[in-house]
Amino acid sequence: MTTFDDILEEAGKFGHCQKRIFALMCLVSMPWAGVYVGIVFQGFTPDHWCRDSAVVEKQQACGWSPADSRRLTAPLVNSSGLLQHSSCERYEVDWNSSALTCNTNELNFNQTPMAACDDGWEYDYEGRRSFVTEFDLVCSDSWLVDMYQATLNVGFLVGSIAIGYLADRFGRKMSFLMSNLLNGIAGMLVAVAPNYVSLLILRTFYGFGVKGGWVAGYVLLTEIVGVEYRRTVGVFYQMFFSVGILFLPLLAYFITDWRWLQVVITAPYIVFLSYYWFIPESPRWLLSQNQKPKAVKITEAMAKENKMKLSKNIESLRDDNADSTTASFMDLIRTPKMRKHTFILSFNWFTSAVVYQGLIMRLGILGGNVYVDFLISGLVEFPAALLILFTIERIGRRLPFATANFLAGASCFITAFIPE
C-alpha cells in the first residue's frame, strides 16, 4: 500500500504547485494583523476634556482658542506628580452670568466647585476618528474599550475549536472558504455598526471566522507539502502576520476614520473567496474520508503542475493514518506526562498572548509617534522568526523555547524599573 507521503516523493514535495498555494495562503495572514491589533488605531483615545455647551457658545462669540476653552472648562489635577487638565471633571460655572467677560486673563475658577462631564467630551482629534471618540468611551466608560479586544478573543477561542472540528468534518478548503465568507460579512457589518453593543457582538463573529479560517488554511498548507517542509511553511505562514503589521500603520496614517479602516482590513477576506478556483482540497483529508478518486485526481494535477510523473503506485494510495486510532482531546490529558506538557504549553500560549497584546496595544503610551513605534514593533519580529527557523532543527525545540521566554520575561521585568 502507498501512503500520500510516498506519492509526494514522485509528485514533488514542494514543487511549483505547492509554492503557488503557499504564496496565496501566506496572504491570509496579512489582514489578520489588522484584525488582531488594529485597535491601536481604531480604538485610539486622543486627549479629551469635558464639553460644556455654554463654553462652546462663548468660544464662538469671544473667539477663544481650543486651549483657552479647555483651560476654562477643565480644572488642573495631579496626575503622576504633574498638574494636568482633568479629562473627567469640569468647572461648574454659570456662563450666563453677566459678570463673565471674554477676557480669559480675568477669568480664574480655581476656587470653583467641580462637576462630572454630563454634556459629553471635546477631543483633540489630531486628524483621527476612532470608535472611542464616536461612542465617548472615556473616563468611567474607558473599560469598554478593552471589551473590543476581549470579544474578539472570545471569537478566536470558539472559532479555533469549532472550525477545527468543521475542517475535519467537511474539509479544509470548504471550512476556509466559509470562514472567509463570514469574515467578509461580519467585518463589513462591524464597519456600519450603529452602536457599541452591536459592534461587540459583530466583533465576536468576526473573531470566530478570522481565527478559524486562519487555522484551516494552516492545516491545508502543511498537509500538501512534504514532512521536511512543514516547519518552514508554518513559520513563514505566521511570519506574514508581521508583514501585515508593517502595512497597518501605513494604512492607518492615510485612512483616519476607523470605519473606513475596518472596510480596508476586511476587503481581503472577500477577495480570498476567489481561492475556490486556485487551491485544492487536502488529499490527505480526502483519503481519511474514503474519497480516494478525488484525492488521486488532485494529486495527479499537482504532479502535472510540478512537471513530475507518477508511477502506478498511486493506484494503491491509502490514508497514512488508516491503521491508527482516532485522536481526541482527552489524549492531551490522559497521562501525567501529557498533562504536564499540555499545561506548560497552554500556560505559555496564554502568557505570550497577554503580554504581546499588552505591549502592542499600548504603543504610543509614552507619547512617541505611534506609527513609527508600530512599524518598529513589526520589524523586530522578523529576526526572531528567522532565528527560530534556523535553530530548532539544529539545537532542538526546548532550548530556543526556554531562552526566548527567559529573555522576554527579563526584558519586561527590567522595563518596569526604567524611570519615566
Side-chain angles (χ1 to χ4, degrees):
M1 300 293 285
T2 307
T3 67
F4 185 69
D5 284 318
D6 296 329
I7 291 298
L8 277 181
E9 295 279 353
E10 302 175 0
K13 295 182 179 181
F14 194 55
H16 181 272
C17 179
Q18 287 98 327
K19 290 175 183 176
R20 175 180 59 81
I21 297 170
F22 169 64
L24 289 172
M25 297 306 293
C26 280
L27 297 178
V28 176
S29 291
M30 293 176 62
W32 189 31
V35 176
Y36 192 49
V37 292
I39 186 176
V40 173
F41 304 105
Q42 292 178 299
F44 174 69
T45 303
D47 209 8
H48 54 279
W49 58 94
C50 293
R51 184 180 189 277
D52 191 318
S53 299
V55 173
V56 174
E57 294 177 4
K58 200 82 171 177
Q59 177 184 358
Q60 295 173 347
C62 297
W64 291 340
S65 68
D68 289 332
S69 297
R70 183 176 187 182
R71 183 177 64 82
L72 298 172
T73 304
L76 290 173
V77 294
N78 190 322
S79 177
S80 301
L82 298 174
L83 285 178
Q84 297 179 347
H85 287 286
S86 174
S87 298
C88 303
E89 292 181 309
R90 63 175 178 83
Y91 290 122
E92 195 169 16
V93 177
D94 180 11
W95 288 97
N96 294 318
S97 172
S98 59
L100 298 176
T101 69
C102 285
N103 188 343
T104 59
N105 294 324
E106 297 179 1
L107 301 175
N108 189 329
F109 301 133
N110 289 338
Q111 305 301 319
T112 304
M114 293 182 289
C117 301
D118 51 10
D119 198 17
W121 284 263
E122 296 281 352
Y123 296 95
D124 185 1
Y125 281 96
E126 299 182 4
R128 172 156 298 281
R129 178 171 179 170
S130 69
F131 63 78
V132 172
T133 63
E134 181 172 334
F135 299 116
D136 284 337
L137 303 181
V138 292
C139 296
S140 61
D141 288 333
S142 61
W143 65 276
L144 289 170
V145 177
D146 292 327
M147 290 299 294
Y148 185 79
Q149 200 70 359
T151 51
L152 178 75
N153 285 319
V154 170
F156 280 175
L157 175 63
V158 178
S160 59
I161 297 173
I163 300 298
Y165 168 78
L166 294 174
D168 285 340
R169 181 72 177 82
F170 300 105
R172 284 56 163 135
K173 179 179 177 179
M174 182 58 66
S175 297
F176 171 78
L177 293 173
M178 293 307 296
S179 294
N180 282 289
L181 178 61
L182 175 60
N183 296 340
I185 295 173
M188 290 301 178
L189 289 176
V190 166
V192 297
N195 54 63
Y196 198 59
V197 173
S198 62
L199 177 64
L200 295 181
I201 295 173
L202 292 168
R203 179 83 167 159
T204 305
F205 285 104
Y206 197 35
F208 179 97
V210 169
K211 185 60 178 288
W214 187 86
V215 170
Y218 180 88
V219 174
L220 173 60
L221 183 59
T222 56
E223 287 186 343
I224 62 171
V225 300
V227 175
E228 61 268 41
Y229 291 98
R230 289 182 182 175
R231 179 188 73 255
T232 303
V233 298
V235 170
F236 275 96
Y237 182 68
Q238 297 179 70
M239 192 186 297
F240 269 75
F241 173 87
S242 301
V243 176
I245 285 183
L246 299 183
F247 279 98
L248 184 58
L250 182 65
L251 291 173
Y253 182 81
F254 290 103
I255 305 173
T256 56
D257 188 293
W258 75 272
R259 292 184 182 272
W260 281 110
L261 183 59
Q262 174 66 30
V263 170
V264 173
I265 291 171
T266 301
Y269 290 109
I270 299 175
V271 176
F272 294 152
L273 292 174
S274 66
Y275 282 16
Y276 175 85
W277 292 279
F278 300 111
I279 64 173
E281 179 56 88
S282 167
R284 294 182 192 273
W285 178 79
L286 290 170
L287 289 171
S288 72
Q289 302 298 306
N290 296 318
Q291 298 184 42
K292 180 180 173 180
K294 291 183 180 179
V296 169
K297 183 178 179 181
I298 291 173
T299 307
E300 289 175 339
M302 290 172 60
K304 182 178 180 180
E305 186 173 344
N306 291 340
K307 296 185 167 117
M308 305 289 283
K309 293 196 175 192
L310 300 177
S311 67
K312 290 186 177 181
N313 289 334
I314 196 169
E315 296 176 0
S316 58
L317 183 63
R318 70 179 182 89
D319 181 14
D320 304 32
N321 302 311
D323 300 326
S324 62
T325 57
T326 303
S328 70
F329 173 79
M330 293 303 297
D331 292 330
L332 296 175
I333 56 175
R334 197 176 302 280
T335 64
K337 190 173 184 179
M338 279 301 298
R339 281 196 295 271
K340 180 183 73 172
H341 292 168
T342 300
F343 173 78
I344 291 173
L345 293 175
S346 297
F347 179 76
N348 178 258
W349 269 105
F350 172 82
T351 305
S352 297
V354 170
V355 172
Y356 183 84
Q357 287 195 62
L359 291 175
I360 205 164
M361 284 172 60
R362 301 308 175 194
L363 286 173
I365 198 171
L366 298 179
N369 187 312
V370 67
Y371 301 100
V372 175
D373 292 346
F374 204 91
L375 184 67
I376 294 173
S377 73
L379 287 173
V380 298
E381 293 186 19
F382 287 95
L386 293 174
L387 186 62
I388 290 297
L389 185 62
F390 291 117
T391 57
I392 57 177
E393 284 303 320
R394 290 168 174 79
I395 60 177
R397 273 69 163 167
R398 294 177 64 184
L399 183 59
F401 174 79
T403 303
N405 279 282
F406 176 79
L407 290 175
S411 299
C412 290
F413 187 76
I414 293 172
T415 301
F417 293 95
I418 297 177
E420 295 184 12

